[in-house]
Amino acid sequence: MPHRIGLGNDRHRLKPGEGIVLGGVRIPCNLGCVAHSDGDVLLHAITDALLGALGAGDIGELFPDTAEENRGRDSTDFILAAIDRMRKADYTLGNLDVTIMLEGKKLSPHKENIRQSLAKLFDCDAARVNIKAKTGEKVGCVGRGEAIEVWAVLLLIQAGKKAEA
Ligand code: MG
């Protein structure tokens, strides 16, 4: 298949804390994520989008949240494992688009850092990555400040390296 598309979604409950991690970037604020791992909801959603595009199941199958080895784990481990699968399946990132939904903390000052961090993880040009941030308009679990949620969609393009080899 020349192209494969993947969709990812993740949501974590919020609690009072000293910051959240988004795309490997620490965002200082008075919030924290309730999570088994480091709670990087953005990397979790992108990992799921990648696994979805590859037809490889989901993040919970690869890294169960009941496993002791995943407690407090850096979520870059999860996405790097999925990126490794992408490369082994002979695909490269076409583009990635995400929407982060959070109430009570403006993310606009951090969007560029997050974009650069994701491009580094994928080892791609930052122009292939787009970050959108919005609130929950004071309604629903995001709007009430109970949770942070992320939607991620990405397109993979066949790299053609196997055909050349
Ligand atoms: Mg998660």
Side-chain angles (χ1 to χ4, degrees):
M1 263 188 279
H3 300 100
R4 299 191 69 123
I5 194 167
L7 171 71
N9 168 252
D10 197 29
R11 180 193 292 171
H12 280 249
R13 276 179 290 132
L14 291 169
K15 61 181 180 183
E18 293 172 355
I20 52 177
V21 183
L22 286 174
V25 176
R26 178 157 282 282
I27 315 287
C29 59
N30 57 4
L31 301 169
C33 272
V34 178
H36 185 67
S37 65
D38 66 357
D40 194 327
V41 59
L42 177 56
L43 290 189
H44 296 176
I46 298 169
T47 300
D48 255 356
L50 252 179
L51 295 173
L54 295 168
D58 65 36
I59 191 171
E61 292 171 29
L62 258 67
F63 300 101
D65 65 5
T66 48
E68 196 50 42
E69 72 214 41
N70 294 330
R71 184 180 296 278
R73 195 159 169 185
D74 185 336
S75 295
T76 56
D77 288 354
F78 306 153
I79 193 162
L80 288 174
I83 289 171
D84 188 52
R85 281 185 173 222
M86 172 188 80
R87 296 215 172 99
K88 284 185 175 138
D90 195 34
Y91 282 92
T92 185
L93 181 71
N95 73 299
L96 163 67
D97 187 25
V98 304
T99 299
I100 306 165
M101 301 183 68
L102 177 64
E103 198 84 26
K105 172 67 186 169
K106 277 225 171 302
L107 293 177
S108 46
H110 304 281
K111 280 161 73 177
E112 186 55 29
N113 278 348
I114 295 170
R115 187 160 88 118
Q116 295 294 338
S117 174
L118 295 177
K120 200 170 166 192
L121 284 167
F122 276 93
D123 191 24
C124 74
D125 195 302
R128 293 180 184 269
V129 179
N130 190 68
I131 312 290
K132 303 189 300 300
K134 63 195 301 174
T135 71
E137 288 287 327
K138 308 265 184 225
V139 294
C141 61
V142 171
R144 289 191 297 270
E146 295 165 5
I148 180 170
E149 182 163 14
V150 172
W151 288 92
V153 64
L154 54 77
L155 187 72
L156 301 185
I157 300 172
Q158 202 160 40
K161 286 180 182 150
K162 280 187 180 164
E164 288 163 20

